[in-house]
Amino acid sequence: MRHRLRDPITGLLFVLPMLVLFLMFRIFPTLAAAGMSLTNWNIGGEWSFTGADNYVRLVNDPNFWSSLRVTLVYTAIYVPLVVLVSLGTALLLNAVVFLRGLFRGILFLPYVTSFVFAGIIWRWIYEFDGLLNGLLAKVELGPVAFMERADLVLPALAVVSCWKGFGYSMLILLAGLKAIPGTYLEAATVDGANAWQRFRSITLPLLKPALFFVLVIETISSFQVFDTIYVMTGGGPAKASYTLIYGIFERGFRFWEFGYAATWGMVLFAVVLVVSLIQRRIVGKEDT
């Protein structure tokens, strides 16, 4: 028995530090938030049990439904954009032979910059007399008030987040492309398949596990967008960029309603879980 348990126990000891960190900073806070959502918790640490009152209040809160709609619209814009950009750059890097490491480092550089720094730079680019409007004015298409128009603010923010975050997904997809055996593509070329046919019939199916992973993490990232909105719009104009995370921030750290903020957080957790399961059903299936 000792001999049979030696390998599992040894493996457990190796993963124990990360397991402790995961329990401390992921599982326990989630359970604590679930419990806090059933209370009226204030900044002084005093609380009283309220049961489902916070959830009833949330159902009747127009700010919640508005923020949920804004978050879903933002996700619908951001996720396809960042996946397409990441996939396109990964395909280009996979085809590059000369100075591939340099190009990969340059494309990954925005990912390691601060969201606050990126927000400040892009706010200047989007300003009425900023760089982008200066270029648009030269071709008589501007200026355009990107940050002041409710119909343009979410696409503008999605572009900023895509520029900031596509580098990580690009590396994941590039690793997936490197794992595809070259003999498959060579055989398809010999059989007369063109580039699009090779991509559709060989590259894309074999890339599905990496693509599913990127789709899930970018969806979670879109539901958790906060830094860019806080720096660039503050939820405006007219709450056109007022997302769920920004609502949680306001409830918790502006109105000091920690119990109600935790309720928003638990609903956000449920929404992300449902969306991830739907993606798993459509894209992932058994082969991931």
Side-chain angles (χ1 to χ4, degrees), residues 7 35 45 54 65 68 73 75 95 109 118 120 143 152 160 185 217 269 278:
D7 289 343
N54 285 330
W65 295 109
L68 178 60
V73 172
T75 299
L109 187 60
I120 293 173
L152 293 179
V160 177
L185 298 173
I217 63 171
F269 171 78
I278 293 174

Side-chain angles (χ1 to χ4, degrees), residues 155-229:
L157 291 172
V159 169
V160 177
S161 297
C162 178
W163 174 84
K164 170 70 176 66
F166 83 94
Y168 179 77
S169 296
M170 175 195 70
L171 292 183
I172 298 297
L173 293 175
L174 182 60
L177 290 172
K178 293 298 183 185
I180 298 176
T183 52
Y184 293 175
L185 298 173
E186 292 172 3
T189 303
V190 171
D191 289 340
N194 57 35
W196 168 248
Q197 290 172 330
R198 293 196 299 271
F199 174 76
R200 183 188 62 188
S201 302
I202 298 176
T203 303
L204 198 58
L206 294 177
L207 196 61
K208 189 181 289 186
L211 198 60
F212 171 70
F213 177 76
V214 166
L215 192 62
V216 171
I217 63 171
E218 293 297 355
T219 300
I220 294 173
S221 174
S222 68
F223 274 97
Q224 294 178 341
V225 60
F226 172 75
D227 310 69
T228 308
I229 292 174

Side-chain angles (χ1 to χ4, degrees), residues 82-83 85-91 93 103-109 165-177 214 218:
V82 72
V83 170
V85 171
S86 301
L87 181 59
T89 51
L91 290 171
L93 279 178
F103 291 127
R104 183 168 53 196
I106 293 173
L107 291 173
F108 187 73
L109 187 60
F166 83 94
Y168 179 77
S169 296
M170 175 195 70
L171 292 183
I172 298 297
L173 293 175
L174 182 60
L177 290 172
V214 166
E218 293 297 355

Side-chain angles (χ1 to χ4, degrees), residues 1-13:
M1 179 65 69
R2 247 192 345 256
H3 178 73
R4 280 164 40 183
L5 291 177
R6 183 179 61 188
D7 289 343
I9 292 176
T10 302
L12 180 62
L13 290 175

